[in-house]
């Protein structure tokens, strides 16, 4: 499981890279994906679907909040919290 | 058929004469005037800051009638900036702070904006300034190359100025919409049409001082005028949320609940997202007394579900193209039953509506006609485009027999036996995607410019449970790269107009006249349960 989460950041960066539609805005794990609209509402839905498939578990709507999805790093932290609490 | 409503009740002698005077009325000590998720201002604070923005604008050469661009996320600053411009006698030009630079630049050039109130990244602002005649930027700490900057912190040292009194026929704001030709069309509303809208909407929904009005749509979308102008007219508070929050229904409903929101106004899509993913069972929305929706139809089954979830709120369907603000309303008495579409309702006060056949003759009740509207809330015209303006209006007799301008909406409607109007479609290829107007021809035009594309057409699929989205069907050579193509499109089209998918086809169906058959082409799009990633 921890191996799985270790590669999550890289996998997410690759996935988000496909979602982001601008070439000229470089981004990394700390980039605020929401600030300049790099990821739109449909992108958020796709991110949630992707994470659910990757983690093999459903994500509660109440967990799909800005703080958990603002950046790739925030998403990884959210996944780690879920793994450690066994939810 | 002509439906006419009686004039609205008059307003008192102290009523504001123009949008610039909207903050002058006293709403009582400490009355909340504007809020966002992080900050708020009372009426006094808002008036003072708007007066300071006005002072700095005048200092930087803004004269009555000059256009001032607003390039900000929806926030407390947005309200301050808009009312600052109006108090200076300027004309507000709301822009999409995440729209393609090409588009924003074209809008700024179209109405010659020299002064911009801007936020966002330095990189973004620099690109906007570079693509426009802007020479002064209010907001950023450092000037983008080519423009003088006035940081927010400097603004708060200025002495506020009182509002300039604008004449009713002077322009108040310009909202842009994309035309089918690609040239932006700036919808010009005057102080008269905007004040009439503020007054009629405040009256229709019985707004009072204690209301907290949340228009949950971006600033450059015409729904925002409800919060910007109708709320302050009665001393109510306006809640603004940044665009990012609209993408997280559970975060959005939390802010709406925390702020004690009493009126929610948005496109149906956002309400469906709130219903599905807004964690409504964990939110206290008991203060909510009105849900207004507009911009597109609400699937009756989903609306019924929403109303069952929020039984304390009344629901109203708002109808009216941005050119006329609003012109009809339909208050629901209860959840819709069956699949019957919810009517767009009846004309609101000081408004006449007529359904006409292509030859201009009124159609009998029960038959489909184009909806024409003559109203006090109608635009003056499109900025600097007299021919397009003339084409948008029909001159025909009003209720008293005098010939007056009627705005031809391009919307097809039918009058039910009970007098309620029902929207049935469009006379052209304009479609709504998440409430935004998209002229499909303008998407076609960008599709055929892509490398490797020989022929292409844009269609709208989905709706109801699944968000409506645009799909591009292309006949293309091997050189065509869908991922690169979508990036190119994102640089020239607003986000909602960028096809979510580009599907390569061998052939496109044609009509009897040899044109590509859009309806037939839509059938080539495979059914999907969820939005999919672009083909690669």
């Amino acid at each position: 499981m921890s191996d799985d989460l270790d590669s999550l950041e890289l996998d997410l960066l690759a996935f988000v890279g496909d979602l982001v539609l601008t070439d000229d805005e470089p981004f990394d794990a700390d980039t605020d994906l929401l600030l300049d609209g790099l990821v739109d509402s449909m992108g958020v839905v796709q991110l949630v679907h992707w994470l659910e498939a990757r983690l093999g578990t459903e994500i509660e709507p109440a967990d799909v909040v800005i703080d958990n999805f603002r950046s790739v790093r925030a998403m990884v932290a959210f996944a780690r919290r879920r793994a450690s609490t066994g939810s | 058929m002509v439906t006419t409503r009686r004039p609205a009740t008059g307003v008192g002698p102290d009523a504001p004469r123009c949008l610039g005077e909207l903050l002058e009325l006293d709403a009582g000590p400490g009355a909340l005037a504007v809020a966002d998720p992080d900050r708020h201002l009372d009426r006094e604070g808002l008036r003072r800051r708007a007066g300071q923005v006005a002072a700095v604008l005048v200092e930087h050469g803004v004269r009555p009638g000059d256009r001032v661009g607003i390039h900000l996320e929806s926030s407390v600053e947005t309200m301050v900036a808009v009312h600052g411009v109006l108090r200076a006698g300027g004309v507000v030009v709301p822009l999409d702070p995440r729209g393609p630079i090409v588009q924003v630049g074209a809008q700024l050039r179209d109405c010659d904006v020299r002064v911009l109130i801007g936020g966002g990244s330095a990189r973004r602002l620099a690109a906007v300034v570079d693509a426009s005649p802007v020479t002064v930027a209010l907001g950023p700490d450092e000037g983008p190359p080519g423009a003088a900057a006035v940081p927010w912190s400097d603004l708060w040292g200025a002495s506020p100025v009182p509002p300039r009194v604008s004449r009713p026929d002077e322009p108040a704001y310009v909202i842009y919409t994309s035309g089918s030709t690609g040239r932006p069309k700036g919808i010009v509303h005057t102080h008269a049409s905007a004040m009439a809208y503020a007054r009629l909407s405040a009256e229709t929904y019985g707004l009072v001082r204690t209301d907290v009005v949340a228009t949950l749509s971006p600033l450059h979308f015409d729904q925002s005028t409800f919060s910007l102008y109708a709320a302050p007219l009665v001393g109510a508070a306006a809640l603004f949320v940044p665009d990012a929050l609209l993408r997280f229904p559970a975060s959005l409903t939390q802010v709406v609940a925390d702020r004690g929101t009493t009126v929610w106004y948005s496109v149906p899509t956002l309400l469906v997202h709130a219903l599905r993913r807004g964690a409504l069972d964990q939110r206290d929305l008991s203060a909510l007394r009105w849900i207004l929706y507009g911009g597109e139809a609400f699937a009756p089954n989903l609306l019924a579900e929403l109303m069952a979830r929020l039984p304390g709120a009344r629901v109203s369907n708002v109808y009216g193209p941005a050119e006329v603000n609003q012109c009809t309303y339909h208050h629901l008495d209860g959840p819709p039953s069956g699949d019957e579409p919810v009517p767009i309702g009846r004309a609101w006060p000081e408004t006449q509506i007529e359904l006409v056949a292509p030859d201009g003759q009124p159609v009998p009740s029960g038959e489909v006609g184009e909806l024409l509207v003559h109203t006090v809330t109608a635009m003056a015209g499109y900025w600097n485009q007299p021919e397009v303006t003339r084409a948008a209006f029909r001159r025909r007799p009003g209720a008293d027999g005098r010939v007056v301008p009627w705005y031809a909406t391009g919307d097809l409607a039918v009058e039910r036996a009970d007098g309620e109007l029902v929207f049935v479609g469009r006379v052209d290829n304009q479609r709504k995607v998440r409430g935004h107007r998209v002229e499909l021809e303008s998407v076609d035009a960008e599709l055929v410019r892509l490398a490797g594309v020989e022929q292409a057409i844009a269609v709208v699929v989905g709706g109801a449970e699944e968000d409506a989205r645009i799909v591009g069907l292309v006949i293309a050579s091997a050189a065509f790269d869908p991922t690169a193509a979508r990036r190119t499109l994102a640089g020239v089209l607003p986000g909602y107009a960028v096809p979510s998918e580009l599907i390569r086809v061998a052939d496109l169906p044609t009509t009897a006249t040899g044109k590509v058959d859009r309806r037939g082409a839509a059938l080539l799009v495979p059914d999907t349960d969820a939005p999919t990633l672009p083909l690669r």
Side-chain angles (χ1 to χ4, degrees), chain A:
Chain A
M1 190 66 193
S2 73
D3 280 354
D4 216 30
L5 285 183
D6 285 343
S7 62
L8 180 61
E9 180 171 316
L10 280 177
D11 293 349
L12 261 174
L13 279 169
F15 182 74
V16 171
D18 286 341
L19 279 182
V20 169
L21 277 176
T22 51
D23 274 331
D24 46 328
E25 293 280 348
F27 74 94
D28 58 29
D30 290 312
T31 302
D32 187 332
L33 299 172
L34 309 172
L35 195 65
D36 272 340
L38 290 178
V39 173
D40 65 9
S41 58
M42 226 170 262
V44 171
V45 173
Q46 289 169 356
L47 263 174
V48 173
H49 283 166
W50 187 90
L51 260 185
E52 285 181 334
R54 179 69 160 70
L55 303 176
T57 161
E58 222 169 277
I59 297 173
E60 289 296 310
D63 283 333
V64 185
V65 290
I66 287 188
D67 290 345
N68 290 340
F69 285 84
R70 189 174 285 286
S71 64
V72 165
R73 197 171 306 286
M75 287 182 253
V76 173
F78 166 64
R80 282 193 193 286
R81 276 199 307 280
R82 280 175 64 92
S84 66
T85 59
S87 60

Side-chain angles (χ1 to χ4, degrees), chain B residues 153-167:
Chain B
S153 51
D154 279 16
L155 281 163
W156 311 144
S159 295
V161 293
R164 172 190 181 263
V165 181
S166 300
R167 286 196 322 270

Side-chain angles (χ1 to χ4, degrees), chain B residues 1-3 319 344 352-374 391-398 404-415 421-422 424-427:
Chain B
M1 178 208 64
V2 176
T3 56
Y319 166 79
I344 55 174
Q352 297 164 53
I353 284 178
E354 207 161 356
L355 302 183
V356 300
D359 64 3
Q361 291 304 308
V363 299
S365 180
E367 285 186 23
V368 173
E370 183 183 4
L371 195 152
L372 306 187
V373 54
H374 170 63
F393 286 98
R394 309 271 178 276
R395 299 197 61 82
R396 51 193 293 127
V404 290
W406 293 68
Y407 175 67
T409 62
D411 286 336
L412 295 171
V414 63
E415 187 193 3
L421 300 167
V422 178
V424 295
R426 288 284 304 174
V427 299

Side-chain angles (χ1 to χ4, degrees), chain B residues 121-134:
Chain B
S121 67
R123 190 189 176 105
R124 163 96 196 170
L125 269 186
V128 168
V129 167
D130 190 48
S132 73
V134 168

Side-chain angles (χ1 to χ4, degrees), chain B residues 377-466:
Chain B
T377 60
M379 67 170 179
Y382 298 108
W383 183 267
N384 220 3
Q385 297 192 62
E387 307 79 27
V388 183
T389 300
R390 260 196 297 280
F393 286 98
R394 309 271 178 276
R395 299 197 61 82
R396 51 193 293 127
D400 61 2
R402 276 188 312 130
V403 171
V404 290
W406 293 68
Y407 175 67
T409 62
D411 286 336
L412 295 171
V414 63
E415 187 193 3
R416 290 195 321 203
D418 61 1
E420 295 275 307
L421 300 167
V422 178
F423 172 84
V424 295
R426 288 284 304 174
V427 299
D428 56 18
N429 285 311
Q430 185 191 103
R431 294 292 178 274
K432 291 294 182 81
V433 176
R434 284 164 263 153
H436 295 276
R437 274 153 65 159
V438 180
E439 316 280 344
L440 290 175
E441 289 93 343
S442 68
V443 181
D444 297 344
E446 297 299 341
L447 287 174
V448 296
R449 278 195 213 175
L450 296 167
V453 170
E454 287 157 24
Q455 207 181 354
I457 194 156
V459 297
V460 175
V461 298
E465 288 278 347
E466 183 195 343

